[in-house]
């Protein structure tokens, strides 16, 4: 990733946006940062890619304008996906809706038959995947919303699916991490942990990385689910791990953010805010040598990825302030905000010059 002298502009003179996931911290931000944009127009799964980096390859305008809104009918706790000009959003009433990104018009609606929580849609191979709170995992035809297959787990699914090769990976509160064949729903392998699997798995190379409610961080072989290593974290972890070339980064309920070395399988550093001890539940962004994450202390923290030291901190008005923020990733300066008037607990999808986000009152917003 190339840096420029201006922390909000890339070497090509174009800003790039990333997103810090809110999780149950009802706060999300978009980050203007340095980097070389690509021509990709999709944000096809939670956090944008299997590494969960939350970095959009194509920037929307620095000052966003509301393009359209849509009433989904119930609270939206998960994050949207965008693929091939369509936004996919799941709501608490059990509906998965497909909306035209350009106009906000409804293309189709799929009724899952159960409430949908934090499991965000993932799109690939002509299908849309997500889990519901009754423990059923769904594969839906991306073209017309018809059901392709379902798979029943033993408890609720809040983990978002991660698509890699021919597999779809997700966790369930029945304590298992699942790897299903994306085309058929057949189990390729499943790994039992010692607690609910809440977080979304991340993937780099042929290794799956997963945090746990059992206070362990694991590296798992993609091909067969064999555990390659396990790192005790000492704390319940609901946040999903974000990866760079060297480390995994995630927050814990012990008021810390951890940087774990992926080669030595040791914790390289621990960060905490000594002034306010609150859990870190949101998923982080890692960009330009910084880990940027929201905490339940009502703040956004930028941490040096090499040392674990604070670079800057941005304080919001409240834990649930119903606002979408755009911050400069280099300085933490607020560049723009939007008041949704309702809690915003998911993270945005950013693709094709648009930002799509859902809110607690069931509204879907598109900015550009």
């Amino acid at each position: 990733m190339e840096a420029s002298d201006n922390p909000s502009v890339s070497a090509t003179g174009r800003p790039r946006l990333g997103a810090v996931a809110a999780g149950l911290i009802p706060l999300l931000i978009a980050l203007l940062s340095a980097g070389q944009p690509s021509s990709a127009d999709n944000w096809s799964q939670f956090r944008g890619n299997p590494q969960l980096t939350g970095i959009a390859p194509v920037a929307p305008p620095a000052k966003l304008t509301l393009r359209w809104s849509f009433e989904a009918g119930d609270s939206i706790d998960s994050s949207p996906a965008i693929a091939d000009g369509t936004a996919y959003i799941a709501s608490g009433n059990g509906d998965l809706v497909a909306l035209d990104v350009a106009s906000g018009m409804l293309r189709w609606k799929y009724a899952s038959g159960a409430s949908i929580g934090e499991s965000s849609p993932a799109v690939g191979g002509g299908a849309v995947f997500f889990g519901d709170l009754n423990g059923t995992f769904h594969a839906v035809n991306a073209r017309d919303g018809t059901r392709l297959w379902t798979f029943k787990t033993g408890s609720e699914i809040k983990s978002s699916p991660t698509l890699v090769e021919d597999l779809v990976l997700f966790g369930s509160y029945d304590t298992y991490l699942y790897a299903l064949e994306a085309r058929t729903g057949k189990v390729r392998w499943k790994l039992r942990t010692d607690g609910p699997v809440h977080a979304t798995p991340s993937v780099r190379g042929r290794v799956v990385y997963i945090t746990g409610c059992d206070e362990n961080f694991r590296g798992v072989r993609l091909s067969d689910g064999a555990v390659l290593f396990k790192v005790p974290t000492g704390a319940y972890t609901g946040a999903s791990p974000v990866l760079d070339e060297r480390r995994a980064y995630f927050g814990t309920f012990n008021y810390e953010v951890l940087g774990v070395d992926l080669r030595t399988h040791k914790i390289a550093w621990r960060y905490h805010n000594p002034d306010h001890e609150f859990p870190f539940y949101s998923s982080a962004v890692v960009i330009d040598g910084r880990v940027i994450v929201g905490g339940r202390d009502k703040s956004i923290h930028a941490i040096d990825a090499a040392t674990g030291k604070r670079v800057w901190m941005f304080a919001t008005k409240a834990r649930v302030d119903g606002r979408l923020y755009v911050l400069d990733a280099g300085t933490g300066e607020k560049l723009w905000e939007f008041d949704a008037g309702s809690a915003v607990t998911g993270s945005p999808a950013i693709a094709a010059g648009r930002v799509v986000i859902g809110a607690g009152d069931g509204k879907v917003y598109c900015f550009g």
Side-chain angles (χ1 to χ4, degrees):
M1 190 175 296
E2 297 180 359
S4 67
D5 293 334
N6 185 338
S8 66
V9 182
S10 72
T12 61
R14 296 177 60 193
R16 187 165 74 168
L17 285 171
V20 169
L24 290 184
I25 308 158
L27 163 74
L28 56 142
I29 62 174
L31 302 162
L32 283 173
S33 183
Q36 180 70 36
S38 75
S39 59
D41 288 333
N42 294 337
W43 185 281
S44 58
Q45 57 188 49
F46 178 65
R47 315 300 292 136
N49 54 58
Q51 294 78 44
L52 309 186
T53 59
I55 302 301
V58 177
K63 302 294 184 180
L64 299 175
T65 300
L66 180 63
R67 299 295 181 178
W68 51 260
S69 63
F70 177 87
E71 296 281 353
D74 203 349
S75 62
I76 301 170
D77 295 324
S78 63
S79 303
I82 300 174
D84 301 323
T86 301
Y88 302 90
I89 301 101
S91 68
N93 62 8
D95 288 343
L96 174 72
V97 296
L99 306 177
D100 180 81
V101 172
S103 66
M105 297 295 293
L106 179 68
R107 290 185 171 176
W108 52 256
K109 180 170 65 176
Y110 168 84
S112 69
S115 182
I116 304 170
E118 297 166 50
S119 184
S120 303
V123 188
V128 188
F129 305 91
F130 68 95
D132 67 35
L133 296 181
N134 276 358
T136 300
F137 191 78
H138 301 257
V140 180
N141 190 308
R143 180 177 55 83
D144 58 14
T146 56
R147 179 175 296 175
L148 297 174
W149 53 260
T150 58
F151 176 84
K152 183 66 175 173
T153 73
S155 190
E156 61 187 352
I157 300 171
K158 292 188 176 181
S159 170
S160 299
T162 298
L163 300 177
V164 60
E165 297 183 2
D166 62 340
L167 298 178
V168 54
L169 309 167
F170 66 95
S172 169
Y173 270 51
D174 66 3
T175 75
Y176 283 97
L177 172 67
Y178 290 92
L180 307 184
E181 294 180 359
R183 187 177 62 84
T184 65
K186 179 181 178 181
V187 177
R188 180 75 59 83
W189 53 260
K190 63 180 183 178
L191 171 68
R192 187 171 187 175
T193 70
D194 298 319
V197 182
H198 175 94
T200 298
S202 56
V203 181
R204 190 172 194 86
R206 297 189 58 77
V207 181
V208 182
Y209 299 95
I210 187 71
T211 53
C213 300
D214 63 359
E215 303 185 1
N216 286 296
F217 172 69
R218 291 176 173 85
V220 180
R221 193 159 56 206
L222 178 63
S223 60
D224 59 7
V227 176
L228 301 175
F229 67 86
K230 182 169 67 173
V231 179
T233 62
Y236 173 96
T237 302
S240 304
V242 56
L243 309 175
D244 64 14
E245 293 81 2
R246 298 173 53 200
R247 292 175 180 161
Y249 308 95
F250 52 90
T252 77
F253 272 68
N254 198 31
Y255 324 135
E256 294 180 319
V257 179
L258 306 185
V260 180
D261 192 295
L262 298 179
R263 288 168 289 189
T264 65
H265 310 150
K266 294 181 179 180
I267 297 173
W269 51 256
R270 296 175 181 267
Y271 167 88
H272 75 283
N273 179 8
D275 300 322
H276 300 283
E277 292 192 331
F278 286 89
F280 287 91
Y281 190 35
S282 69
S283 298
V285 161
V286 58
I287 186 169
D288 293 343
R290 293 174 182 177
V291 180
I292 303 178
V293 62
R296 282 188 169 177
D297 59 356
K298 311 174 188 177
S299 299
I300 303 299
H301 301 254
I303 306 164
D304 186 282
T307 66
K309 304 298 184 182
R310 181 192 296 171
V311 179
W312 55 257
M313 186 170 72
F314 173 82
T316 66
K317 295 180 175 64
R319 242 179 65 192
V320 185
D321 69 359
R323 286 174 169 81
L324 173 69
Y325 292 94
V326 176
L327 306 181
D328 186 295
T331 65
E333 177 189 359
K334 183 179 72 175
L335 304 176
W336 178 89
E337 70 175 83
F338 174 79
D339 187 354
S342 180
V344 181
T345 61
S347 58
I350 307 171
R354 294 290 185 265
V355 178
V356 180
I357 184 70
D361 59 3
K363 279 190 176 181
V364 181
Y365 297 94
C366 178
F367 303 91

